[in-house]
Amino acid sequence: MTRTEWYKNAVVYQIYPFSFMDANDDGWGDLAGIASKLDYLKELGVTAIWFSPLYKSPCADYGYDIADYKDIDPKFGSLDEFKALLAAAHEKSIRVIMDMALNHSSIEHPWFREAIRDTESPYRSYYLIREGKRKGKKLLPPTNWSSTFTGSAWERIEGTDDFYLHLFCVEQADLNWENEAVRKEAADIFNFWLELGVDGFRLDVFNMFSKVYPLRDGKKKMMGTGEEFYIDGPRMHEFLKELNARSFSRYDSYTVGESYNPHVEDRKLYVDKDSHELDTIFNFGHFESDAMGKFFKKKFDLGVFKAGLFDPQLENFGKGWNTLVLENHDGSRSNARFGIDVRKYHYEASTFLPAITFLGFGTPFIYMGQEFGQTNVRFDRIEDCKDPVSHFIYDMLTGYLVPKKLAMRAINYGARDMARVPVRWDGSVNNGFNRGHEPWQKPMTPLVDVNLEKDLASEKSVFRFYQKVLEIKKTVPAAVYGDIREYGRKDKQVVAFSRFLGDEGLLVFGNFSAKKAKFTLPAELEGFTKTLLLSNYESETPADGVYELKPYEVLVYQLGK
């Protein structure tokens, strides 16, 4: 099979299926709802869809705890419906990327149920099961590792002195990738979907597959104790090469890995074209510019944002490929963070951000609703949040005697629930998500009352601006294949970069602040002709190469000789 590297020209749209569109009005998003919006996605300029997990799941972590890797959860539809959706997407030249969580499985998976039922079962070694440590009359977990979602990373198996490892929810038991049988099962799962015609995969927290053995206590920290023994482990690159040889390289497929705090050298190797591991990974360094641990707000630091956004582009150009992302199912809406007053600058910020991000080096990833400026909502009660992480953080804070109002302030800044409320299609009941049945996640009051219908009727349409950004990405070769040159890394207001492919180029710059700013055209660009392609304001002619920029103003120029 010849691999075409189609992903380099792709525009990927992420759908969190629970919340996209509920066609049968039962409160859950579904495949029929997705199928009804394919023409809409085509109109936007999307060429690939990434589905968050659609597999059978008890939904302790809303799809990322998988109980059957080869079937569709009935709440979304059936496998036959998925095949029909896949064919319909392909007819419209839209590729399909599946989400695969194989660091762990659901404890409801037949493998795990058999593993704890019979200590002699071969499935016992599919998981990391260890005997606890005795300290007097107390039985302690095998190590002091902490879970990302809940206290200890170990859960005792009822009626025994054994524990199983879960780096995430208690309901998500870590798989033992040292066991070759597990790795063969993983390749078989990928190949099952590829044979059906699926075009690629996102690999959930892939760089935690390899652990350091023997398992031992880690350096004690408030969060992440033990992570030095399970991030970018010693066999991580070996496992990926093996998986690539057994699966990905045999198809015209694409892979993107969700990396968890990767080391710099490892993140380069994962996507190096000579490594034969993954095509791309997500880099989230720019998300650390305004938050500590997602939930705890800090003053926005543009320098950190630039480093997180541009360093992977500069590292990977000519060696591997890159991804460009502002939002996903795991965090807040971009127009309501990074120091932005979204109530005052909703249109400006919602258009500034995609221009300075998606015209860089890499494949753009858009999260559902982002394309028309959907923003954060307000949760007044923890009971309205569905995400187990929100409840863990809230319980932890209130356990430390933090007042409930302050605890909810943290939830309202970084909760994953923000991205998981249903898409706001119009002003009808439940914002057009369905015909009236109470949605699985209650629609909450947004910071800005926006929906797709209202946006399209506005003279300042975020959706129409996204279309123009994506059109530039598709029609200007430098926007895909050009090199990346950043200007003014230390500037505290302006983001600026150019892309060049031969003598043809693209210049993008904008004001990432609520105050006026100035941008001086770099001397190296003075000899080029400049054609304005896009701006989110009525642009004025610069005086002597100096641009006066309004809050969140962005300009995109085509450059030529």
Side-chain angles (χ1 to χ4, degrees):
M1 171 65 71
T2 303
R3 301 191 75 208
T4 63
E5 297 186 330
W6 56 265
Y7 57 88
K8 292 184 176 181
N9 297 94
V11 172
V12 184
Y13 186 94
Q14 184 191 356
I15 290 178
Y16 189 70
F18 293 86
S19 304
F20 188 67
M21 188 71 185
D22 173 18
N24 67 357
D25 198 36
D26 65 352
W28 302 92
D30 48 42
L31 296 178
I34 294 167
S36 73
K37 295 293 185 181
L38 289 179
D39 286 334
Y40 163 77
L41 297 177
K42 184 78 175 173
E43 182 187 0
L44 174 61
V46 168
T47 64
I49 301 170
W50 151 30
F51 293 121
S52 285
L54 293 163
Y55 320 102
K56 283 186 176 176
S57 167
C59 290
D61 188 26
Y62 291 93
Y64 286 90
D65 50 319
I66 299 171
D68 186 341
Y69 287 94
K70 294 182 179 179
D71 204 358
I72 299 297
D73 195 294
K75 70 170 65 67
F76 301 131
S78 67
L79 186 58
D80 283 341
E81 283 181 271
F82 174 80
K83 291 175 183 177
L85 175 61
L86 180 64
H90 284 167
E91 275 183 26
K92 297 180 188 300
S93 301
I94 297 175
R95 297 192 184 247
V96 171
I97 298 165
M98 299 287 274
D99 210 327
M100 194 60 73
L102 277 163
N103 176 69
H104 43 257
S105 80
S106 166
I107 59 173
E108 296 300 316
H109 195 289
W111 298 341
F112 186 79
R113 293 166 85 170
E114 181 63 18
I116 62 171
R117 187 191 67 81
D118 178 6
T119 57
E120 299 302 315
S121 168
Y123 291 108
R124 189 85 170 176
S125 62
Y126 272 41
Y127 296 90
L128 290 161
I129 296 174
R130 299 289 188 273
E131 188 177 355
K133 297 186 294 190
R134 286 283 175 191
K135 190 175 182 182
K137 293 184 179 180
K138 262 187 168 182
L139 182 66
L140 301 177
T143 72
N144 68 345
W145 294 7
S146 62
S147 161
T148 303
F149 286 4
T150 57
S152 172
W154 295 93
E155 182 71 7
R156 188 175 180 178
I157 298 172
E158 190 177 349
T160 75
D161 286 353
D162 291 339
F163 292 72
Y164 67 86
L165 181 69
H166 62 91
L167 292 175
F168 294 89
C169 286
V170 171
E171 297 85 356
Q172 294 167 296
D174 272 52
L175 287 161
N176 175 21
W177 276 72
E178 294 291 314
N179 184 343
E180 187 176 6
V182 169
R183 303 199 303 274
K184 285 182 176 178
E185 295 269 20
D188 181 63
I189 290 164
F190 284 117
N191 291 342
F192 170 82
W193 292 103
L194 288 164
E195 284 295 321
L196 286 184
V198 164
D199 301 287
F201 299 94
R202 170 196 180 262
L203 279 67
D204 186 62
V205 293
F206 77 90
N207 64 326
M208 298 166 81
F209 292 171
S210 173
K211 276 79 171 175
V212 175
Y213 294 89
L215 304 182
R216 68 202 80 169
D217 284 347
K219 186 178 179 181
K220 238 182 170 182
K221 296 187 288 185
M222 185 174 175
M223 297 182 83
T225 297
E227 64 180 19
E228 64 268 36
F229 299 127
Y230 60 75
I231 291 177
D232 301 326
R235 298 186 69 188
M236 197 61 252
H237 296 285
E238 174 194 345
F239 291 163
L240 290 176
K241 290 179 197 296
E242 181 183 81
L243 198 54
N244 189 298
R246 287 175 171 171
S247 182
F248 310 139
S249 65
R250 298 181 179 185
Y251 301 84
D252 188 17
S253 68
Y254 165 62
T255 52
V256 55
E258 181 204 22
S259 52
Y260 185 90
N261 298 334
H263 302 109
V264 173
E265 289 309 310
D266 285 300
R267 82 183 185 200
K268 293 178 187 176
L269 282 173
Y270 290 139
V271 302
D272 190 307
K273 59 190 176 185
D274 295 325
S275 293
H276 305 291
E277 296 181 20
L278 298 176
D279 295 310
T280 57
I281 65 171
F282 289 126
N283 292 288
F284 299 128
H286 50 313
F287 289 1
E288 297 172 9
S289 60
D290 68 334
M292 296 177 289
K294 192 178 293 186
F295 286 88
F296 306 108
K297 184 178 180 178
K298 68 178 184 181
K299 185 179 179 182
F300 175 56
D301 187 328
L302 181 54
V304 173
F305 184 94
K306 289 179 181 180
L309 181 65
F310 290 113
D311 284 354
Q313 298 183 50
L314 295 164
E315 288 168 6
N316 293 329
F317 185 80
K319 299 172 185 175
W321 204 252
N322 190 50
T323 58
L324 302 164
V325 61
L326 286 164
E327 298 180 16
N328 60 30
H329 63 289
D330 274 342
S332 292
R333 294 291 184 171
S334 56
N335 58 15
R337 56 182 305 187
F338 307 129
I340 296 165
D341 181 347
V342 68
R343 291 183 178 93
K344 189 173 182 180
Y345 296 110
H346 175 264
Y347 171 76
E348 292 80 7
S350 299
T351 50
F352 166 86
L353 286 165
I356 60 115
T357 304
F358 296 149
L359 294 176
F361 167 62
T363 300
F365 279 74
I366 300 167
Y367 183 66
M368 61 181 200
Q370 179 185 336
E371 73 278 10
F372 60 84
Q374 186 159 325
T375 189
N376 282 353
V377 298
R378 179 175 175 80
F379 289 96
D380 293 318
R381 308 178 312 142
I382 192 63
E383 291 79 11
D384 290 328
C385 296
K386 298 289 187 181
D387 183 21
V389 181
S390 295
H391 286 266
F392 170 60
I393 294 294
Y394 180 84
D395 291 345
M396 180 186 73
L397 292 174
T398 54
Y400 283 117
L401 304 181
V402 172
K404 291 180 179 180
K405 279 190 175 180
L406 286 180
M408 285 308 298
R409 189 179 296 177
I411 299 303
N412 276 303
Y413 192 70
R416 302 194 302 179
D417 305 84
M418 293 294 174
R420 300 179 181 191
V421 296
V423 173
R424 296 172 60 84
W425 296 106
D426 57 40
S428 66
V429 63
N430 292 331
N431 304 117
F433 171 66
N434 61 18
R435 298 185 299 279
H437 191 292
E438 183 178 347
W440 75 280
Q441 168 66 72
K442 182 179 175 184
M444 308 301 293
T445 304
L447 300 182
V448 179
D449 183 17
V450 64
N451 59 58
L452 175 65
E453 184 180 60
K454 184 183 285 189
D455 178 75
L456 290 174
S458 171
E459 287 185 11
K460 291 184 173 182
S461 168
V462 177
F463 179 91
R464 299 299 182 210
F465 192 92
Y466 264 78
Q467 285 182 308
K468 292 172 184 175
V469 170
L470 300 181
E471 185 64 20
I472 292 170
K473 191 74 176 179
K474 291 177 180 180
T475 58
V476 179
V480 175
Y481 297 106
D483 64 9
I484 180 82
R485 307 176 193 182
E486 184 194 1
Y487 305 108
R489 171 68 66 94
K490 293 182 179 179
D491 192 300
K492 295 185 183 300
Q493 288 180 277
V494 175
V495 176
F497 64 92
S498 66
R499 309 282 311 278
F500 272 95
L501 188 64
D503 289 335
E504 299 295 318
L506 201 67
L507 172 65
V508 182
F509 59 92
N511 176 11
F512 206 151
S513 80
K515 296 180 179 178
K516 289 182 178 180
K518 289 184 179 182
F519 172 70
T520 302
L521 192 71
E524 66 179 75
L525 303 180
E526 287 178 0
F528 290 87
T529 60
K530 300 168 194 67
T531 304
L532 181 64
L533 298 180
L534 189 59
S535 175
N536 57 354
Y537 278 87
E538 290 293 330
S539 298
E540 298 172 6
T541 305
D544 299 322
V546 178
Y547 292 78
E548 299 273 354
L549 301 175
K550 303 174 186 71
Y552 303 102
E553 181 174 7
V554 66
L555 297 100
V556 181
Y557 283 92
Q558 188 162 15
L559 306 176
K561 281 290 190 181

